[in-house]
Amino acid sequence: GSTDNAVLTLNGTSPNISAESGLTYDGTLLDVTGNVDISADLTVNNITADVSIYTPNFRELYSNLGTGGNVTINLTTANNFKYTANANVTYTFSNPPTAPKGFGFTLVYVNGGNFTTTWPVAVQWAGGIAPALTANGTDILVFYTYDSGTTYYGFLSASNLS
Protein backbone atom coordinates (compact mmCIF):
# COMPACT_ATOMS: atom_id res chain seq x y z
CA GLY A 1 0.00 0.00 0.00
CA SER A 2 0.91 3.63 -0.31
CA THR A 3 2.58 5.45 2.57
CA ASP A 4 2.62 8.90 0.98
CA ASN A 5 2.10 11.50 3.73
CA ALA A 6 1.72 8.77 6.37
CA VAL A 7 1.97 9.62 10.04
CA LEU A 8 4.87 7.69 11.54
CA THR A 9 4.99 6.26 15.05
CA LEU A 10 8.13 5.35 16.95
CA ASN A 11 7.52 2.08 18.82
CA GLY A 12 10.15 1.81 21.50
CA THR A 13 13.65 2.59 20.31
CA SER A 14 14.70 3.33 16.75
CA PRO A 15 14.40 1.88 14.12
CA ASN A 16 11.00 0.49 15.18
CA ILE A 17 8.94 2.95 13.10
CA SER A 18 5.57 2.16 11.58
CA ALA A 19 3.18 4.05 9.31
CA GLU A 20 -0.16 4.52 11.03
CA SER A 21 -3.12 3.19 9.09
CA GLY A 22 -5.95 5.67 8.77
CA LEU A 23 -3.75 8.75 9.34
CA THR A 24 -2.11 10.95 6.73
CA TYR A 25 -0.71 14.46 6.96
CA ASP A 26 0.28 16.51 3.93
CA GLY A 27 1.73 19.46 5.89
CA THR A 28 -1.62 21.25 6.01
CA LEU A 29 -4.37 18.70 6.52
CA LEU A 30 -4.50 15.80 8.96
CA ASP A 31 -6.82 13.16 7.51
CA VAL A 32 -8.25 10.62 9.94
CA THR A 33 -10.16 7.55 8.84
CA GLY A 34 -12.11 5.81 11.60
CA ASN A 35 -12.98 6.75 15.16
CA VAL A 36 -11.04 9.27 17.23
CA ASP A 37 -10.84 9.02 21.03
CA ILE A 38 -10.34 12.48 22.54
CA SER A 39 -9.47 12.67 26.23
CA ALA A 40 -9.16 16.47 26.56
CA ASP A 41 -10.83 19.61 25.17
CA LEU A 42 -10.99 19.87 21.38
CA THR A 43 -11.56 23.12 19.52
CA VAL A 44 -12.58 22.78 15.90
CA ASN A 45 -12.90 25.69 13.50
CA ASN A 46 -14.20 25.77 9.95
CA ILE A 47 -15.80 22.34 9.56
CA THR A 48 -16.40 22.23 5.82
CA ALA A 49 -17.94 18.79 5.39
CA ASP A 50 -21.07 17.12 6.64
CA VAL A 51 -19.91 15.40 9.79
CA SER A 52 -21.47 14.02 12.93
CA ILE A 53 -19.80 14.64 16.24
CA TYR A 54 -20.73 12.47 19.21
CA THR A 55 -19.68 13.23 22.76
CA PRO A 56 -20.68 11.84 26.16
CA ASN A 57 -20.30 15.32 27.73
CA PHE A 58 -21.99 17.98 25.60
CA ARG A 59 -21.44 21.49 26.95
CA GLU A 60 -23.17 24.56 25.64
CA LEU A 61 -21.90 28.13 25.76
CA TYR A 62 -23.42 30.74 28.11
CA SER A 63 -23.42 34.53 27.92
CA ASN A 64 -24.70 36.92 30.59
CA LEU A 65 -26.05 39.92 28.66
CA GLY A 66 -26.33 42.03 31.81
CA THR A 67 -28.94 44.79 31.95
CA GLY A 68 -29.86 47.83 29.91
CA GLY A 69 -32.07 48.84 27.01
CA ASN A 70 -31.33 47.45 23.59
CA VAL A 71 -29.79 43.98 23.48
CA THR A 72 -28.16 42.13 20.62
CA ILE A 73 -28.02 38.38 21.04
CA ASN A 74 -25.04 37.32 18.93
CA LEU A 75 -25.61 33.68 18.07
CA THR A 76 -21.93 33.06 17.34
CA THR A 77 -20.99 33.71 20.98
CA ALA A 78 -23.27 31.28 22.81
CA ASN A 79 -26.56 29.41 22.71
CA ASN A 80 -27.64 30.15 26.29
CA PHE A 81 -28.18 33.74 27.38
CA LYS A 82 -29.34 35.61 30.48
CA TYR A 83 -30.71 39.13 30.61
CA THR A 84 -32.11 41.09 33.56
CA ALA A 85 -34.58 43.82 32.63
CA ASN A 86 -34.19 47.21 34.29
CA ALA A 87 -35.68 49.27 31.41
CA ASN A 88 -37.72 48.76 28.26
CA VAL A 89 -35.80 46.46 25.93
CA THR A 90 -35.59 45.81 22.20
CA TYR A 91 -33.96 42.54 21.23
CA THR A 92 -31.98 41.88 18.06
CA PHE A 93 -30.77 38.41 17.06
CA SER A 94 -27.57 38.45 14.99
CA ASN A 95 -25.40 35.94 13.11
CA PRO A 96 -27.66 32.89 12.82
CA PRO A 97 -26.13 29.95 10.94
CA THR A 98 -26.90 29.83 7.25
CA ALA A 99 -29.65 27.55 6.00
CA PRO A 100 -30.17 24.66 5.95
CA LYS A 101 -28.59 24.49 9.41
CA GLY A 102 -30.97 24.61 12.37
CA PHE A 103 -30.11 26.51 15.53
CA GLY A 104 -31.83 26.83 18.87
CA PHE A 105 -31.00 29.02 21.83
CA THR A 106 -32.31 29.70 25.31
CA LEU A 107 -32.89 33.04 27.01
CA VAL A 108 -33.21 33.30 30.79
CA TYR A 109 -35.17 36.54 31.15
CA VAL A 110 -35.36 38.09 34.64
CA ASN A 111 -38.08 40.65 35.54
CA GLY A 112 -39.18 40.99 31.90
CA GLY A 113 -42.79 41.71 32.88
CA ASN A 114 -41.82 44.98 34.55
CA PHE A 115 -40.95 46.63 31.23
CA THR A 116 -41.96 46.65 27.57
CA THR A 117 -40.16 44.03 25.50
CA THR A 118 -39.89 44.36 21.73
CA TRP A 119 -38.94 41.15 19.94
CA PRO A 120 -37.52 40.93 16.40
CA VAL A 121 -40.29 40.88 13.76
CA ALA A 122 -38.96 37.50 12.60
CA VAL A 123 -40.14 35.85 15.87
CA GLN A 124 -43.35 33.87 15.56
CA TRP A 125 -45.24 32.98 18.73
CA ALA A 126 -48.06 30.51 19.32
CA GLY A 127 -51.28 32.25 18.35
CA GLY A 128 -49.26 35.19 17.03
CA ILE A 129 -48.94 36.76 20.49
CA ALA A 130 -45.77 37.09 22.57
CA PRO A 131 -46.21 35.54 26.03
CA ALA A 132 -46.87 37.56 29.17
CA LEU A 133 -43.65 37.73 31.18
CA THR A 134 -43.07 37.63 34.92
CA ALA A 135 -42.67 41.01 36.64
CA ASN A 136 -40.59 39.81 39.58
CA GLY A 137 -39.13 36.47 38.67
CA THR A 138 -37.53 34.47 35.90
CA ASP A 139 -38.88 33.19 32.61
CA ILE A 140 -37.14 30.76 30.26
CA LEU A 141 -37.66 31.34 26.53
CA VAL A 142 -36.46 29.13 23.71
CA PHE A 143 -36.00 30.21 20.08
CA TYR A 144 -35.38 28.10 16.98
CA THR A 145 -34.52 28.94 13.36
CA TYR A 146 -33.56 26.83 10.37
CA ASP A 147 -33.73 29.44 7.58
CA SER A 148 -30.81 31.81 8.31
CA GLY A 149 -32.90 33.79 10.79
CA THR A 150 -35.70 34.71 8.39
CA THR A 151 -38.05 33.10 10.93
CA TYR A 152 -37.53 32.35 14.61
CA TYR A 153 -40.05 30.23 16.48
CA GLY A 154 -40.39 31.50 20.05
CA PHE A 155 -41.57 29.43 23.01
CA LEU A 156 -42.13 30.25 26.67
CA SER A 157 -40.58 27.16 28.22
CA ALA A 158 -41.00 28.07 31.91
CA SER A 159 -42.70 30.96 33.64
CA ASN A 160 -42.38 32.67 37.03
CA LEU A 161 -39.42 30.73 38.34
CA SER A 162 -38.57 32.31 41.63
Side-chain angles (χ1 to χ4, degrees):
S2 174
T3 57
D4 290 346
N5 299 324
V7 174
L8 301 178
T9 303
L10 176 62
N11 300 310
T13 58
S14 186
N16 296 321
I17 297 174
S18 59
E20 294 293 331
S21 62
L23 291 175
T24 58
Y25 181 68
D26 67 5
T28 302
L29 177 69
L30 175 65
D31 185 39
V32 179
T33 303
N35 294 329
V36 177
D37 183 15
I38 300 169
S39 60
D41 291 341
L42 172 68
T43 301
V44 179
N45 296 313
N46 302 321
I47 295 177
T48 58
D50 290 328
V51 298
S52 296
I53 299 173
Y54 302 95
T55 175
N57 299 313
F58 182 75
R59 294 180 182 98
E60 297 182 333
L61 299 175
Y62 167 79
S63 176
N64 187 338
L65 301 170
T67 62
N70 297 330
V71 177
T72 297
I73 296 180
N74 183 343
L75 302 178
T76 62
T77 62
N79 55 338
N80 292 282
F81 301 89
K82 180 181 179 185
Y83 178 77
T84 301
N86 67 353
N88 295 337
V89 61
T90 298
Y91 282 98
T92 302
F93 303 156
S94 69
N95 300 312
T98 56
K101 295 178 183 79
F103 186 81
F105 64 98
T106 303
L107 173 63
V108 176
Y109 196 8
V110 180
N111 302 334
N114 280 329
F115 303 96
T116 301
T117 300
T118 303
W119 299 104
V121 295
V123 176
Q124 294 183 4
W125 301 98
I129 300 170
L133 300 170
T134 304
N136 295 302
T138 301
D139 299 312
I140 308 291
L141 298 114
V142 176
F143 299 88
Y144 175 76
T145 185
Y146 62 89
D147 59 6
S148 303
T150 300
T151 305
Y152 290 91
Y153 297 100
F155 307 90
L156 177 61
S157 178
S159 177
N160 196 21
L161 301 170
S162 52

